[in-house]
Amino acid sequence: MKKIENILCIGAGYVGGPTMAMIARKCPDRRVTVVDVNAKRIAAWQSDDLPIYEPGLKEVVRETLNRNLFFSTDVDKAIEEADVIFVAVNTPTKTFGQGAGCAADLQYWEKTARQIKRCSKRDKIVVEKSTLPVRTAAAMQRVLSAESDGVHFEVLSNPEFLAEGTAIADLECPDRVLIGSDETETGLAAREAVVDIYASWIPRDRILTTNVWSSELSKIAANAFLAQRISSINALTELCEKTGADVTEVARAIGADSRIGPKFLKAGVGFGGSCFKKDILNLVYMCESQGLHQAADYWRSVVTMNTHQQNRFVNTMLTAMFNTVAGKRIALLGFAFKADTSDTRETPALTVARLLAEEHADIVISDPYALENAKNDLASVGDRVAYESDPHKAVEGADAVAVMTDWKLYGDIDWQRVYASMRKPAFIFDGRNFLDHAKLFKLGFHVYAIGIEPKSHF
Ligand code: UDX
Ligand code: UDX
């Protein structure tokens, strides 16, 4: 197969944008185009004000933009010119009809497949980047080969494992790249052509190749395992709070076992982000569709535990603050679903803010990068919520501070000044267990963390 020169990605989101920028950086001899139906997003990628915040991304885009990285809204033309097409359109959880609340909504994906079919006059490799249910490639192949006109499409799966906040490092030096293809002659040739792109900077032994179905399922399985570890440690937190065990010490002790390992054992207010919940529910739906109810229940419990952890956080606040937060000023420090991103999809902070608003609290939200998204997410909550980028102003006169995102700046804040400016008694709820609780207690705060006995002056 001839070398791939024209690479296209459909979907300029959190995955498509950074991934293609990295490919453009590492493959200066290839032309990389990213298209999207959202003209505003495309314009933002071409500006200094990128549509997403991701450390190090600006530098990569600045280096490659209009050299061999191009952003456009002309999807038809870009498809026609491409040798390989990565599809990274969103596949959210279905909100209607069969499988609502669980199955993946594949409408954008199918629309894109039909558009690829309509605009292709020569053979193409189509690569699934979006996370999809197992065997989606077979459906894609059917759409692409309906009314065959001699154009051949090879459908591959190449899921993305980058995590937001560390996307550039993850893309530069991934644990592995996974490429699934049919094991036919044309499938293997297409696989090799895509391997060749990544081999420009990634050692070959880190590029894993499998059949398409294993690749599709591995992406969902990896996210399910990571989320399951978080729910497992969170499932110990209530017991810790009641018994005097400290979950951070338990995590350190079990994580020192090399069979368990130390990562993804941080207890907190629960996982967020666009992937974990969506992918697990997708897995649950696939299991149920196959009549595998026990497996479905097992994976569903990971999400159930996560929801419980978020609700529980608000219950702790209520109980600590004399069973009422009505009219009390509560500052939420951080709204992004994790540090170093502006992304707020499925952020636990949203659930916490909504529950506090139901309790008639006056909420002030602070975040260094996610305030715009927070305003959109909380539009329906109305004037119970205020937004303040300066954390010191956000906490002024507050009865309680709840740390929702482990932004480094909240660790470095002058907590003495914070304490002085708050109404007393002053409560702090550390949803990420990353502050110095002993120091805060000494300053006068009543300190509530997760999986650690509260430190109260009462
Ligand atoms: C992507 C995948 O869609 C998701 O399945 C996977 O789990 C993670 O990676 P992400 O990049 O985070 O998600 O999604 P998003 O930021 O929403 O970007 C998707 C882009 O596709 C949007 O900019 C949207 O405008 C675009 N899109 C969507 C199209 O260009 N055409 C469409 O028909 C639909
Ligand atoms: C995840 C996967 O890590 C990535 O491989 C996949 O491609 C997309 O989904 P992402 O959602 O960007 O990435 O971030 P991740 O670092 O996995 O964190 C997800 C959530 O789990 C965050 O809300 C984070 O705060 C939380 N988390 C993570 C914990 O609560 N405890 C931990 O120990 C680790």
Side-chain angles (χ1 to χ4, degrees), residues 160-162 164 219 264 266 271-272 276 337-338 432:
E160 187 49 69
F161 294 105
L162 65 79
E164 289 174 32
K219 165 70 195 202
F264 271 72
K266 260 181 84 182
F271 57 76
F276 282 178
F337 81 96
K338 62 186 274 195
R432 298 292 181 173

Side-chain angles (χ1 to χ4, degrees), residues 227 229-238 240-241 246-252 254 262-271 305-306 309 312-313 348 403-404 406 430-435 437 449-452:
R229 276 174 74 96
I230 301 169
S231 278
S232 294
I233 196 75
N234 282 341
L236 292 169
T237 53
E238 276 171 288
C240 286
E241 287 161 26
D246 176 330
V247 78
T248 58
E249 293 179 350
V250 175
R252 198 170 75 227
I254 61 175
K263 294 184 182 166
F264 271 72
L265 287 179
K266 260 181 84 182
V269 63
F271 57 76
M305 188 64 226
N306 197 53
Q309 195 72 350
R312 195 169 87 69
F313 187 73
V403 177
M404 304 308 302
D406 46 352
D430 183 358
R432 298 292 181 173
N433 280 356
F434 92 122
L435 300 176
H437 301 148
I450 290 181
I452 303 170

Side-chain angles (χ1 to χ4, degrees), residues 10-16 35-38 41 88-91 108 111-112 130-131 274-275 278-279 345:
I10 304 180
Y14 284 89
V15 168
V35 293
D36 201 291
V37 288
N38 183 338
R41 215 167 210 196
V89 300
N90 40 337
T91 49
Y108 308 115
K111 192 189 100 224
T112 303
S130 309
T131 308
S274 72
C275 290
K278 166 172 78 75
D279 291 353
R345 291 177 293 179

Side-chain angles (χ1 to χ4, degrees), residues 231 297 299-309:
S231 278
D297 287 348
W299 288 113
R300 191 185 286 105
S301 72
V302 173
V303 175
T304 308
M305 188 64 226
N306 197 53
T307 310
H308 172 65
Q309 195 72 350

